Amino acid sequence: MTQHTLKQFDVELEEIRRGVLQMGGLVETQVARALEGLASGDLALLDAVTAGDKEVNLAQIQLDDECSRLIARRQPAATDLRFVLSAIKAVADLERIGDEAKKIAKAARRLHSADVPFTPRVGLSQSAQLVLEMLRTALDGFARADASHAQEIKLKDAEVDTQFKGTMRQLITYMMEDPRTITSSLETLFIAKSIERIGDHAMNVAEHVVYMVSGEDVRFENTQAVLGGKH
Amino acid sequence: MTQHTLKQFDVELEEIRRGVLQMGGLVETQVARALEGLASGDLALLDAVTAGDKEVNLAQIQLDDECSRLIARRQPAATDLRFVLSAIKAVADLERIGDEAKKIAKAARRLHSADVPFTPRVGLSQSAQLVLEMLRTALDGFARADASHAQEIKLKDAEVDTQFKGTMRQLITYMMEDPRTITSSLETLFIAKSIERIGDHAMNVAEHVVYMVSGEDVRFENTQAVLGGKH
């Protein structure tokens, strides 16, 4: 490759990096707004999240396309190829986080539109905060090709899983005490499950960064030991 | 490329195709056995499914590695590149189907080990049958690079979604009538949710086949209209 095409290649790689981060920012906003709408009952905000998922899907299609065209045209090797393949995988996880944000928004809407006024019985804000931190740290690692926070993210994921189990136990107690709360408890349970899954996907992104940086596939490594068994 | 390396290239592509189908077969068996164990209460079978998930994860790591080495060494273009990228994506969906099979096995184990003998209250065999058919059709399409069944799979997915909603309504009724069934009903609900997600992933595989064959990204296209809105 000439100096000129090499520079052009760098520009293209940088565009993909920027695209992933932009999509990451969009997805982060979707999650934050879904949770804000859940807390406040702002139905317009919740509907905006649902509608906004189209933009997330579009971002995935565009980035996938950019990545495969770059592979075809530039035939990247070693680090560059790992970067592009990691980008494709990270984008798939981001898209799924977007799906979960939409699910939260829809469930929150049903809760706040129900005949019985919705009173939250379990606190989800702590685990919501944790998964947003995990997502931010993972994206930051992607931006700087820095995998040093993977372990920290893994520990937070274990904490989120523990909190989910606690939430489930609490909700079961409420449902048993007052069967009239079953429907709204189930909606809340699904929201808690979505938050937990967002944590899983953020951890996946962190693992793609490890692969990108080191060429090492750390998925499933000691997962059982750290997480104490997945639900 | 010389005739010789061209042939070698074909052999490598064929190996990837065979690897994906083998992993698909493994995952299909995992799902079928988890559901069989759920129905029969065979705890040893359920434990075998849980243990077998490691093999699924290993298959993904190996195939991912094969695919990225092939891209680096052979620099495939056009159809071949689309095939390899589709394989990477299909394998990610297969791995997640494997996760769901493991979740079903674990929930089934809890149900059958509970103090109260487990009596199934909702029928899941119809939707289980449907998602297994979807998976088989999608893998068959991958094997033969044939995308003609994508629409049929999409319609089955919509049917599975409808059945899931019906199951949820039924379970809510049971829980309200007899709060002692809440715990086991929730386990059943999570199993139903896993079956529904297996259908989603099978549909994803079918969509990767469409991309492989036509270069067209059909994800999210009319999804809402056909599915009548995702839960």
Side-chain angles (χ1 to χ4, degrees), chain A residues 115-180:
Chain A
D115 299 338
V116 191
F118 170 61
T119 41
R121 276 177 217 87
V122 292
L124 296 173
S125 63
Q126 209 182 341
S127 53
Q129 204 51 47
L130 272 170
V131 298
L132 277 171
E133 278 170 31
M134 289 167 70
L135 179 58
R136 243 172 257 138
T137 311
L139 286 168
D140 196 47
F142 185 89
R144 296 185 291 110
D146 173 4
S148 64
H149 297 284
Q151 196 56 34
E152 173 196 328
I153 292 177
K154 215 169 184 172
L155 290 171
K156 281 189 181 165
D157 189 54
E159 172 61 25
V160 172
D161 285 358
T162 306
Q163 290 191 8
F164 173 73
K165 282 176 194 155
T167 301
M168 186 153 81
R169 273 193 300 271
Q170 256 183 291
L171 287 170
I172 289 175
T173 309
Y174 291 129
M175 287 190 266
M176 287 186 166
E177 281 171 0
D178 182 358
R180 285 167 307 173

Side-chain angles (χ1 to χ4, degrees), chain B residues 44 74 114 116 129 143 146 152 176 227:
Chain B
R74 301 291 183 174
V116 191
Q129 204 50 48
D146 172 3
E152 172 196 329
M176 286 186 168
L227 301 185

Side-chain angles (χ1 to χ4, degrees), chain B residues 48-85:
Chain B
V49 172
T50 302
D53 191 48
K54 280 201 182 67
E55 208 185 321
V56 176
N57 295 343
L58 198 65
Q60 181 186 21
I61 291 178
Q62 281 170 345
L63 279 163
D64 261 6
D65 190 48
E66 260 183 71
C67 287
S68 64
R69 277 188 293 122
L70 183 132
I71 295 174
R73 269 205 324 266
R74 301 291 183 174
Q75 308 174 335
T79 318
D80 293 334
L81 178 59
R82 283 210 307 271
F83 167 73
V84 181
L85 292 178

